[in-house]
Amino acid sequence: MKKQAMFLTAIAAVALLVYSCGSGTPPPAADAPAADSSMTAPAQASSQTPTDETKGMGKFAEVKLTDPLDQTMVTSGKSTYEVKCAACHKLSGEKLVGPGWKGVTERRKPEWIMNFVTNTDEMIDKDPAAQAMLQECMVRMPNQHLTDDEARHLLEYMRANDGKK
Amino acid sequence: MKRLSLMLGLVAATAAMQSCKMKTAATAVQGDAASKTYVAPGKYDEYYNFVSGGFNGQVSVYGLPSGRLLKVIPVFSVFPENGYGYSEETKAMLNTTNGSIPWDDQHHLDLSQTNGEQDGRWLFANANNTPRIARIDLTTFKTMEILQIPNSAGNHSSPFITENTEYVVAGTRFSVPLGSEDVPISSFKENFHSTASFISVDKNSGKMDIAFQIVLPGMNLDLSHAGKGPSHDWFFFSSYNTEQAYTLLEVNASQKDKDYIVAVNWKKAEEYAKAGKGKKVSAPYAHNTYDEHTQTATSVIENEVLLLDPKDCPDMVYMIPCPKSPHGCDIDPSGEYIVGSGKLAALIPVFSFSKITKAIGDKQFEGDFKGIPILKYESALYGEVQKPGLGPLHTEFDGRGNAYTSMFLSSEVVKWSLKDLKVLDRAPTYYSVGHLMIPGGDTKKPAGKYLVAYNKITKDRFLPTGPELAQSAQLYDISGDKMQLVLDYPTFGEPHYAQACAASLIKDKQVKFFDINKNKHSYVAMGEKNAKVVRQGNRVDVYMTAIRSHLTPDNIEGVYVGDEVYFHVTNLEQDWDIPHGFAIKNNPNAELLIMPGETVTLKFVPEKQGIYPFYCTDFCSALHQEMSGYLRVSPKGANVPLKFGTGETAETVAAK
């Protein structure tokens, strides 16, 4: 029974995606489904939006990485993870609500990660990789309103989780 | 007796007039009315309109000019939508010295002001029955504070405010003995008093305190308004039943040709209070405040108030004769004109503040009412609006020198000129209009574009719904010379007064979510890692988290019949408009609605063993239906250990 419900939900979600993709432009705000947070405040694309598609959309065009890891940032990132992210993301590769974090810094560019966690709605609406993830997970990632610093610290924590030194 | 038959005659004549107007109802609306109120999908209204809920004890928020209902704010009533008054955090808001009173009659509203203009910070609301004043924060539309008013009954002439929100007033409708002495009702004249309470408001936090109460003779205070500009230091209350009747008031309180407008110099009162002219008396009252950081309300019982007796405080209170049973007492934007509306009078008296000041200086008195000087009517009067209609109630202003008065008996709005007191226009209402509202119409800067009439009785406006019909609000475009009816729409409860302000004043200040890192609730679960279940004796605290799309923990065992289970649900979302709900089967309490970043607590005392499903009640994502869990309740004394988790299955446990 539950499986069936999930399957139906999946069809509905895919249908929505097809609808929004098919029109060539994002759906107008008034047509968005009630649970879709994109209707409340359209994300503002910054002038710094990267031109490289693999970097996603948002204000982070260039992220400078540290070498070695900044342990202060790692610690701060961990505490943000525990409050705002752990409900849905495991540190292993296993999917919970969202994908597991293991290897995420290999799969995605740092800019993509920073843009995704801070500009969530626009990324889910427009970025092909983010849209593919939505089809898999069936739940839009909540915009957790991370500050730029929180996002950066989280990235550092992800890198530590991926074994970077 | 003669007077009574005259009144009956008036009522009969009015009924006849009403029936004429009924026929013209359909033709009163002109062709372009719809376009004036059409707000296209995705577009916003120009004004927020806050409307009192009357007997439902709530405040409803409409958009203008569309008339769309946007929200209902629970203030003096428990509310099923979000568990207000049921959740452990909000129960204290409804506490009084008589225990929890989960209902009241909410009559009037006032928006906070700075320099006589709306500042969009707070909305004040009164409870009529068990006297209380509430403050609502306009960044969250939440009730933040409720103050009980002692030595009062029928808290009608409130919550009107001074120009800089220095004070909110609460005037008694029913006179009662002060304190709790047991006296015969027939000793009304000796033992009963009305009081005008002045509640100070902290400039920054909004926190309210009863600064002092002015003790007045036994009579009924009805409405009030503060002066402004030149009359800044004064507050004016209308009164009726200066006959001091205590039975069959419909006849016995309508004997005299004139009642009074009570003019109070609150600046003087403030000085007297500071100078120790008052008397501190024992008077317990509840003071309830909601702390936005701990997200929890507390109720404190305060024990005394400061009474000011006009006898000890010369020049503080004067009586201005006003025909007859005045209802509204409205001050024009300049602060010079005070409009009294005698609901049984066939004219509208307009008083002049400068003449009042002069009359006081010249001691032009015609006697006193229980020691309070009565000004000569003529010496305070600016003029009378002749034959305005029947049953003038309440007046608002458009800022262009015009006044608009509602006529209860002849069911119309009458526009007249403050300059020459000539009637300029009249428009029918359907029917029995009470208050009127122009956005900012009681401030220094009215926005004279729209006027809303709130009707008390509605016989044929909407699809019938049994004996009780929806009351109606009627929206008029008043930007031209003639008023034009452009919309009517049903309202929730029986609205009395209302307020409206430009949407731009508060729209962009709206809180979108509560920062989870600032959540100081004593039972917050800061992240799923901290979700847990703790038992202490027969009390079980569940620190639960909610995020799209699961609750943690979602399996709980080891709870017994008779345990007091507290579900403290923290919403981990940080996204606008993603509340989660929480409900558990067979709970006689209520359910919750938890805003993003907030913690709210539901108490549940299971009375029978069994499996109790719980779930999120507010649709939150495609997997909302899956956001659920189970509580196992075992018989008292059963040997089931406390156990909780999320994502644990028999298989995963076995694998370990």
Side-chain angles (χ1 to χ4, degrees), chain B residues 568-638:
Chain B
H568 312 284
V569 187
T570 300
N571 182 349
L572 294 178
E573 305 274 355
Q574 295 285 272
D575 198 355
W576 199 3
D577 194 29
I578 305 291
H580 288 293
F582 180 81
I584 182 159
K585 191 188 169 192
N586 292 356
N587 182 14
N589 194 352
E591 57 185 67
L592 304 176
L593 195 63
I594 310 120
M595 296 303 121
E598 199 181 36
T599 304
V600 189
T601 302
L602 187 73
K603 184 179 176 182
F604 176 48
V605 184
E607 289 178 356
K608 290 175 188 161
Q609 72 176 73
I611 297 289
Y612 292 79
F614 52 80
Y615 67 103
C616 169
T617 51
D618 188 1
F619 197 99
C620 56
S621 79
L623 296 175
H624 159 73
Q625 288 291 83
E626 284 73 8
M627 193 164 177
S628 63
Y630 290 107
L631 169 74
R632 174 184 171 191
V633 175
S634 305
K636 215 170 209 156

Side-chain angles (χ1 to χ4, degrees), chain B residues 369-587:
Chain B
F369 182 49
K370 301 261 172 179
I372 300 170
I374 303 168
L375 296 182
K376 280 191 180 134
Y377 179 61
E378 290 75 17
S379 66
L381 189 72
Y382 168 69
E384 294 169 340
V385 183
Q386 296 297 329
K387 297 198 172 159
L390 295 178
L393 281 193
H394 180 70
T395 302
E396 292 264 301
F397 307 91
D398 66 5
R400 296 188 297 270
N402 302 310
Y404 301 73
T405 303
S406 54
M407 298 290 166
F408 180 79
L409 288 174
S410 53
S411 286
E412 58 188 336
V413 179
V414 173
K415 174 182 176 181
W416 50 276
S417 161
L418 276 163
K419 198 172 150 207
D420 55 17
L421 309 183
K422 292 270 191 307
V423 171
L424 302 173
D425 189 24
R426 43 183 81 236
T429 60
Y430 311 98
Y431 310 91
S432 299
V433 58
H435 276 279
L436 296 178
M437 191 282 308
I438 290 171
D442 63 342
T443 70
K444 271 184 176 170
K445 291 245 173 86
K449 187 173 177 184
Y450 298 111
L451 174 148
V452 184
Y454 300 94
N455 299 330
K456 305 234 165 252
I457 301 168
T458 309
K459 299 236 186 256
D460 71 350
R461 300 315 291 162
F462 314 108
L463 284 175
T465 51
E468 195 196 5
L469 303 172
Q471 272 97 21
S472 79
Q474 293 188 276
L475 179 73
Y476 297 83
D477 179 339
I478 56 165
S479 55
D481 287 341
K482 294 281 174 193
M483 293 177 272
Q484 186 195 359
L485 174 63
V486 288
L487 181 72
D488 62 356
Y489 51 96
T491 55
F492 200 35
E494 186 218 324
H496 292 257
Y497 196 33
Q499 293 271 279
C501 67
S504 56
L505 199 57
I506 52 182
K507 176 170 92 61
D508 299 329
K509 294 196 285 200
Q510 290 312 290
V511 168
K512 297 184 175 177
F513 57 89
F514 298 98
D515 184 347
I516 184 78
N517 291 313
K518 291 188 181 147
N519 184 325
K520 300 281 178 260
H521 192 289
S522 343
Y523 293 95
V524 63
M526 202 56 96
E528 245 174 43
K529 194 182 166 195
N530 296 311
K532 61 188 171 190
V533 181
V534 179
R535 171 183 285 282
Q536 246 189 329
N538 71 337
R539 178 184 168 119
V540 178
D541 287 295
V542 182
Y543 296 69
M544 183 177 275
T545 62
I547 193 163
R548 281 165 278 180
S549 37
H550 60 269
L551 296 156
T552 302
D554 66 2
N555 277 205
I556 303 168
E557 302 187 31
V559 168
Y560 309 124
V561 169
D563 278 347
E564 290 189 346
V565 185
Y566 291 86
F567 290 98
H568 312 284
V569 187
T570 300
N571 182 349
L572 294 178
E573 305 274 355
Q574 295 285 272
D575 198 355
W576 199 3
D577 194 29
I578 305 291
H580 288 293
F582 180 81
I584 182 159
K585 191 188 169 192
N586 292 356
N587 182 14

Side-chain angles (χ1 to χ4, degrees), chain B residues 46-186:
Chain B
E46 282 175 76
Y47 295 95
Y48 283 100
N49 183 197
F50 301 94
V51 181
S52 82
F55 41 69
N56 75 19
Q58 304 160 341
V59 171
S60 20
V61 187
Y62 295 82
L64 291 180
S66 74
R68 299 181 293 201
L69 176 66
L70 305 176
K71 188 173 177 88
V72 173
I73 307 171
V75 186
F76 299 109
S77 289
V78 292
F79 196 50
E81 180 181 286
N82 59 6
Y84 176 83
Y86 295 105
S87 70
E88 295 306 300
E89 288 79 3
T90 54
K91 274 179 182 170
M93 291 304 281
L94 298 173
N95 191 40
T96 73
T97 48
N98 289 71
S100 178
I101 298 187
W103 171 89
D104 218 304
D105 184 17
Q106 201 279 297
H107 271 229
H108 309 114
L109 297 168
D110 219 347
L111 284 166
S112 59
Q113 296 179 21
T114 303
N115 297 323
E117 293 179 42
Q118 297 170 329
D119 59 24
R121 302 175 74 193
W122 305 301
L123 178 70
F124 297 91
N126 71 329
N128 202 29
N129 183 42
T130 300
R132 288 176 274 183
I133 299 282
R135 179 173 54 86
I136 296 154
D137 186 323
L138 291 178
T139 62
T140 55
F141 286 64
K142 278 189 176 193
T143 303
M144 300 302 284
E145 189 174 8
I146 291 182
L147 187 63
Q148 192 185 354
I149 314 295
N151 296 323
S152 176
N155 176 37
H156 196 266
S157 48
S158 68
F160 298 95
I161 58 165
T162 51
E163 262 187 293
N164 291 299
T165 321
E166 294 99 334
Y167 291 99
V168 176
V169 296
T172 337
R173 174 176 159 204
F174 303 115
S175 288
V176 286
L178 303 182
S180 56
E181 55 187 327
D182 182 29
V183 297
I185 297 171
S186 59

